[in-house]
């Protein structure tokens, strides 16, 4: 078969046996034509698509890869556990070891529970909050993403009004909006759920202010409700103890997934003693939730991140990338707007309402071997070393030049 047709052939086959050919956020129909749908392998910070083209990967499997694809320490830990057993009649000793490590690492945690997916974890947090308070209402920021089942999915297909009857909206980083929402359900407030930072798709990413974080904590304390931080996307990239450690506020419950096992399917809920009984009282389970291999991988991942200052490494590399891209944007007169933590950037362009400029930039990068996303949060790993960042910047200098020539009329300077 012609190498150039492998991805297209797989798409054609998938269309016959998978509704729409691909579901969810990894569907290539959600990015400009030219992005591959299928990938064959990954190593370090690089991926190869089904047609053999390699990329410096700034999506890291949409977040799960934090130490790099195929990290030796994680793979060795997983292999040792696989040789002993993975899914058994009950959990392996890795469950207790991982729970102890998580409680020792996460600043607010007195206990931990595990599942497989971020949606599992956010849903468990909401359920535990309701069980622990005996109340119904949950405050959720407008535009926030907390998973993909009826109570929180961004789609309305198959969703009833009753699925979301007890959700009350507020505006992220707006303390007055949060206070008004809480007042509107006074006496029935179970939880306030917040993202680690505002990362709405295709929009500027915004870190929480201390004022907002403190207001959230104060409101929950006054109502004896749960403050829930959704750390599924950001967990262990911004701070080892939890992302809201950066604003000096500890939640009651947190949801974790993506990076906690360096690509293995695992999620966690952490909580304080106030909600221990609520967690104990609910029934939540899954046949694969206590499988040992992912837990062994998670122990190795968290330990290595802690012992090597993984957060510091990613911060340094992310800042190097951000500074380099901004300098190049100024050089070529293109209105690049970067936001979010440097370890989790989003690249947008001012005035680019139809996304044509951002799409062109990302496609030019893709053709030269750098995998950026035009609208979504991106991710750095510890495998994105200084040398990799410099290699990326050599490529993006060419990209900015090509885009500037194509958009000769664009002269606005980046901020």
């Amino acid at each position: 078969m012609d190498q150039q047709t492998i991805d297209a052939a797989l798409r054609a086959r998938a269309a016959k046996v998978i509704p729409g050919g691909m579901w969810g956020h990894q569907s290539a129909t959600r990015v400009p034509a030219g992005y591959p749908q299928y990938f064959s392998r990954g190593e370090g910070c690089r991926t190869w698509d089904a047609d053999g083209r390699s990329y410096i990967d700034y999506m890291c499997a949409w977040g799960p890869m934090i130490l790099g694809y195929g990290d030796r320490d994680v793979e060795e830990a997983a292999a040792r556990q696989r040789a002993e057993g993975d899914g058994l009649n009950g959990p392996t000793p890795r469950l207790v070891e991982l729970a102890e490590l998580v409680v020792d690492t996460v600043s607010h945690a007195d206990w931990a529970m595990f599942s497989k997916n971020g949606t599992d974890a956010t849903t468990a947090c909401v359920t535990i909050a309701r069980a622990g308070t005996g109340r119904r209402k949950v405050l959720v920021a407008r535009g926030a993403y907390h998973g993909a089942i009826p109570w929180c999915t961004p789609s309305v297909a198959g969703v009833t009004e009753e699925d979301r009857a007890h959700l009350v909206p507020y505006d992220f980083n707006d303390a007055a909006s949060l206070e008004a929402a809480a007042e509107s359900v006074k006496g029935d407030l179970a939880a306030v759920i917040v993202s680690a930072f505002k990362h709405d798709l295709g929009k500027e990413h915004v870190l929480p202010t201390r004022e907002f974080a403190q207001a959230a904590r104060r409101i929950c304390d006054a109502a004896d409700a749960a403050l829930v931080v959704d750390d599924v996307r950001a967990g262990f990239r911004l701070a080892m103890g939890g992302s809201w450690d950066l604003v000096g506020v500890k939640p009651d419950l947190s949801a974790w997934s993506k990076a906690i096992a360096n690509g293995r399917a695992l999620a966690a809920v952490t909580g304080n003693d106030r909600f221990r009984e609520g967690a104990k009282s609910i029934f939540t389970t899954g046949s694969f939730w206590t499988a040992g291999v992912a837990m062994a991988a998670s122990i190795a991942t968290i330990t290595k991140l802690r012992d090597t200052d993984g957060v510091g490494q990613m911060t340094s590399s992310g800042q190097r990338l951000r500074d380099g891209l901004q300098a190049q944007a100024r050089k070529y007169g293109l209105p690049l707007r970067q936001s979010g933590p440097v370890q989790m950037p989003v690249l947008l362009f001012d005035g680019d309402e139809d996304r044509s400029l951002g799409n062109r930039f990302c496609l030019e990068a893709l053709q030269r071997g750098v995998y950026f996303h035009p609208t979504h949060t991106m991710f750095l790993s510890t495998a994105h070393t200084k040398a990799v960042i410099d290699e990326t910047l050599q490529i993006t200098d060419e990209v900015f030049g090509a885009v500037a020539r194509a958009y000769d009329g664009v002269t606005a300077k980046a901020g």
Side-chain angles (χ1 to χ4, degrees):
M1 181 182 290
D2 184 346
Q3 281 289 93
Q4 296 302 312
T5 69
I6 292 175
D7 189 84
L10 287 167
R11 293 193 199 205
R13 288 166 58 190
K16 298 176 182 178
V17 293
I18 299 169
M22 181 59 192
W23 63 91
H25 66 286
Q26 291 186 347
S27 173
T29 62
R30 296 179 179 271
V31 288
Y35 275 76
Q37 178 67 80
Y38 291 92
F39 293 81
S40 59
R41 67 187 182 97
E43 181 180 338
C45 65
R46 299 175 193 270
T47 51
W48 284 258
D49 67 23
D51 289 296
R53 293 178 290 252
S54 67
Y55 309 93
I56 302 173
D57 181 10
Y58 285 94
M59 286 304 290
C60 292
W62 294 78
M65 206 58 60
I66 196 167
L67 295 171
Y69 296 97
D71 178 82
R72 180 175 299 177
D73 295 316
V74 175
E75 294 307 310
E76 288 178 354
R80 286 193 300 270
Q81 184 58 49
R82 188 181 299 109
E84 297 178 4
D86 188 18
L88 304 170
N89 287 349
T92 73
R94 305 296 87 74
L95 170 65
V96 179
E97 294 165 7
L98 177 57
E100 290 173 337
L101 177 60
V102 168
V103 167
D104 186 55
T105 303
V106 176
S107 60
H108 80 96
D110 294 316
W111 52 264
M113 299 167 65
F114 300 97
S115 54
K116 282 297 176 188
N117 190 51
T119 301
D120 300 334
T122 56
T123 302
C125 283
V126 169
T127 307
I128 291 166
R130 285 172 169 154
T133 61
R135 306 191 201 111
R136 303 173 297 170
K137 304 299 183 183
V138 177
L139 309 189
V140 181
R142 291 181 177 87
Y145 178 79
H146 295 296
I149 58 175
W151 80 265
C152 57
T153 179
S155 171
V156 297
V159 175
T160 68
E161 291 182 6
E162 290 81 1
D163 289 320
R164 305 181 185 189
H166 298 297
L167 300 184
V168 178
Y170 68 90
D171 295 319
F172 189 90
N173 254 356
D174 186 333
S177 171
L178 185 61
E179 289 168 355
E183 183 63 26
S184 74
V185 295
K186 190 172 184 178
D188 199 16
L189 179 61
V192 174
I193 186 167
V194 293
S195 301
F197 61 95
K198 183 178 174 64
H199 45 60
D200 300 359
L201 182 66
K203 296 182 180 179
E204 184 174 10
H205 288 6
V206 181
L207 297 176
T209 65
R210 284 185 176 269
E211 177 192 11
F212 172 73
Q214 290 168 356
R217 182 69 273 172
R218 182 177 65 252
I219 288 166
C220 289
D221 287 343
D224 194 26
L227 175 58
V228 179
V229 170
D230 178 351
D231 234 337
V232 168
R233 189 175 295 190
F236 295 137
R237 273 195 167 86
L238 305 192
M240 290 301 294
S243 295
W244 270 34
D245 277 7
L246 299 177
V247 287
V249 169
K250 288 181 172 56
D252 299 294
L253 299 164
S254 283
W256 306 73
S257 189
K258 288 199 182 287
I260 66 172
N262 201 51
R264 294 306 196 294
L266 191 68
V269 171
T270 55
N272 59 22
D273 281 332
R274 162 68 181 86
F275 287 91
R276 185 185 292 267
E277 285 302 313
K280 181 180 175 181
S281 71
I282 70 169
F283 186 79
T284 183
T285 191
S287 296
F288 304 102
W289 285 12
T290 58
V293 171
M295 292 189 174
S298 184
I299 292 168
T301 300
I302 296 169
T303 300
K304 188 167 185 175
L305 286 169
R306 181 194 64 195
D307 293 348
T308 62
D309 185 23
V311 172
Q313 291 182 55
M314 290 180 283
T315 302
S316 177
S317 293
Q319 191 64 57
R320 189 177 188 87
L321 178 66
R322 179 161 295 186
D323 292 346
L325 290 174
Q326 209 65 49
Q328 291 172 350
R330 292 192 188 97
K331 172 182 173 182
Y332 290 101
L334 290 169
L336 178 66
R337 176 162 44 93
Q338 302 183 79
S339 62
V342 295
Q343 310 95 304
M344 298 176 63
V346 65
L347 306 180
L348 303 172
F349 289 85
D350 288 333
D352 190 27
E353 299 302 326
D354 64 358
R355 307 290 185 200
S356 60
L357 184 54
N359 289 347
R360 179 64 179 265
F361 176 84
C362 289
L363 284 170
E364 294 281 354
L366 189 76
Q367 292 166 9
R368 291 166 173 80
V370 175
Y371 195 106
F372 288 147
H373 196 287
T375 53
H376 196 277
T377 310
M378 298 190 295
F379 303 87
L380 273 73
S381 71
T382 61
H384 288 85
T385 61
K386 176 179 178 290
V388 169
I389 299 302
D390 290 346
E391 180 184 352
T392 301
L393 291 172
Q394 286 185 333
I395 294 169
T396 55
D397 189 70
E398 295 181 13
V399 170
F400 275 113
V403 173
R405 288 190 294 274
Y407 286 84
D408 189 44
V410 178
T411 58
K413 300 294 184 180

